[in-house]
Amino acid sequence: MSMQLVPVELCKGINGLEKVVLREVRGFSAEVYLYGGHVTSWKNEHGEELLFVSSKANFKPPKPIRGGIPICFSQFSNLGSLEQHGFARNRLWSVDTDPPPFPTTSSNKAFIDLILKPTEEDMKIWPHSYEFRLRVTLGPGGDLMLTSRVRNTNTDGKPFSFTFAYHTYFSVSDISEVRVEGLETLDYLDNLQNRERFTEQGDAITFESEVDKIYLSTPTKIAILDHEKKRTFVIRKDGLPDAVVWNPWDKKAKAMADFGDDEYKYMLCVEAAAIEKPITLKPGEEWKGRQELSAVPSSYCSGQLDPQKVLQSS
Ligand code: BG6
């Protein structure tokens, strides 16, 4: 008798924190912690982990989890008066049992809806009423989709503005073997040089030292080519014009308590974001920001994959 697959399971994760496990028939899986509304795992059909989570990550509130997909809301980085990257990544989200319908219905079974609303304490640091709905879906082909819907529910008639990022940590075989395609010739703000504006020159982005850049008005598709693993990650995004590329490299890695000294070699953050132009919502208005991740086998060196084709295909 064949075992019945449970596509969505709520269970206990590290340190007893609640997590949701999503499973697809072909063996793909993903895990989402209610703490932070934080995706901490995305595995392919061979059980290989596609996201990076530090071996030193704290799964202990109020520290955010180092790795996976932290949600940066309502502030990216230190661009405002809130704590670094805002508060959503260290709040306890709830399962949303009755989310408003999406305009398009899909037959996906492996998805979970989470919701974050402010407490009275939260209102003291960001005096706005909102509903943040996050849907995490594992597609039948293993794609991982995150859709955020933020609604202004202020009753005082006031609009609010926010910046946002899906701070995705991708697992890579060796950072020096990785290139990012799709950001060539774009303008960026360099976080390592007082956020001065520069224009990217030349070819795809490769890595040989610390990188911390906010690329502006980027295309909706970005590819991360991992030659050694023969794997390409494709990020498709909607409602998120910017893209942050971050690798701390050796010195910053050593300075982070929740990150191994050598782990910078095995990760790369490419973050679908809305930073340069904050999103403003009037009461009753809703914003939607979506990212879809896929991991495809590639053999760029042997010419099987033309990165331009990856970027141009729909
Ligand atoms: C990136 C920022 O998005 O996140 C970096 O561009 C920052 O400047 C990095 O160092 C990590 O931030 P944190 O708060 O998770 O250590």
Side-chain angles (χ1 to χ4, degrees):
M1 215 170 72
S2 67
M3 292 264 284
Q4 190 72 32
L5 180 94
V6 182
V8 184
E9 187 189 0
L10 183 66
C11 54
K12 297 271 183 221
I14 297 169
N15 292 335
L17 295 174
E18 278 189 302
K19 69 175 182 184
V20 178
V21 182
L22 305 176
R23 293 188 188 89
E24 258 301 336
V25 191
R26 283 167 56 195
F28 308 106
S29 68
E31 294 187 2
V32 192
Y33 273 71
L34 298 196
Y35 176 58
H38 197 132
V39 175
T40 55
S41 172
W42 172 39
K43 288 184 181 165
N44 65 14
E45 69 271 51
H46 310 297
E48 292 167 336
E49 184 56 69
L50 303 171
L51 297 177
F52 166 88
V53 176
S54 172
S55 60
K56 295 194 167 178
N58 293 303
F59 283 73
K60 241 187 216 147
K63 291 260 184 229
I65 299 165
R66 174 73 63 200
I69 313 183
I71 303 275
C72 303
F73 172 84
S74 58
Q75 173 186 300
F76 177 76
S77 185
N78 59 357
L79 289 166
S81 57
L82 300 177
E83 62 195 283
Q84 160 94 349
H85 287 326
F87 45 76
R89 65 178 178 163
N90 59 10
R91 291 293 184 278
L92 191 60
W93 295 54
S94 311
V95 173
D96 189 4
T97 47
D98 189 21
F102 279 81
T104 48
T105 50
S106 81
S107 55
N108 286 320
K109 287 203 187 78
F111 69 88
I112 186 74
D113 285 294
L114 301 182
I115 185 162
L116 181 69
K117 292 187 206 176
T119 60
E120 269 176 36
E121 276 306 296
D122 291 338
M123 298 278 277
K124 290 181 190 155
I125 57 157
W126 202 60
H128 299 293
S129 179
Y130 64 86
E131 287 171 356
F132 186 146
R133 291 191 158 81
L134 172 68
R135 174 171 287 191
V136 181
T137 305
L138 186 64
D143 293 0
L144 184 69
M145 288 157 282
L146 279 80
T147 307
S148 289
R149 296 186 285 175
V150 177
R151 177 174 292 278
N152 181 335
T153 52
N154 274 337
T155 50
D156 57 7
K158 289 199 179 128
F160 62 65
S161 297
F162 63 90
T163 46
F164 178 94
Y166 291 117
H167 195 310
T168 310
Y169 288 72
F170 292 93
S171 169
V172 298
S173 57
D174 175 356
I175 187 66
S176 56
E177 295 292 319
V178 167
R179 51 195 276 157
V180 176
E181 306 260 354
L183 302 175
E184 306 81 4
T185 72
L186 295 180
D187 280 6
Y188 63 88
L189 307 178
D190 195 340
N191 283 326
L192 302 177
Q193 298 191 60
N194 301 316
R195 299 211 172 96
E196 237 183 276
R197 195 177 181 118
F198 297 93
T199 303
E200 194 62 65
Q201 307 289 340
D203 279 347
I205 294 150
T206 52
F207 300 89
E208 50 195 26
S209 59
E210 184 184 359
V211 175
D212 191 352
K213 296 176 177 176
I214 305 170
Y215 289 88
L216 306 171
S217 304
T218 67
T220 55
K221 255 191 220 178
I222 299 168
I224 303 169
L225 286 80
D226 184 341
H227 299 319
E228 206 170 295
K229 261 262 159 0
K230 298 196 167 33
R231 173 187 294 149
T232 296
F233 291 109
V234 182
I235 305 165
R236 294 178 177 83
K237 59 195 182 69
D238 191 27
L240 298 161
D242 306 320
V244 181
V245 177
W246 179 62
N247 182 292
W249 221 254
D250 54 350
K251 277 206 196 84
K252 282 247 169 87
K254 287 202 177 84
M256 289 191 281
D258 59 351
F259 193 87
D261 290 358
D262 283 341
E263 285 182 335
Y264 72 94
K265 294 177 186 165
Y266 311 113
M267 55 71 70
L268 176 66
C269 286
V270 178
E271 311 166 32
I275 299 169
E276 192 194 22
K277 296 184 187 105
I279 313 291
T280 299
L281 295 176
K282 293 193 196 111
E285 282 183 343
E286 185 177 84
W287 166 85
K288 196 155 102 181
R290 201 168 170 278
Q291 101 166 351
E292 188 175 331
L293 307 178
S294 44
V296 292
S298 66
S299 180
Y300 179 61
C301 293
S302 64
Q304 281 178 21
L305 178 84
D306 178 346
Q308 284 313 315
K309 277 186 197 148
V310 169
L311 293 171
Q312 279 153 21
S313 66
S314 59

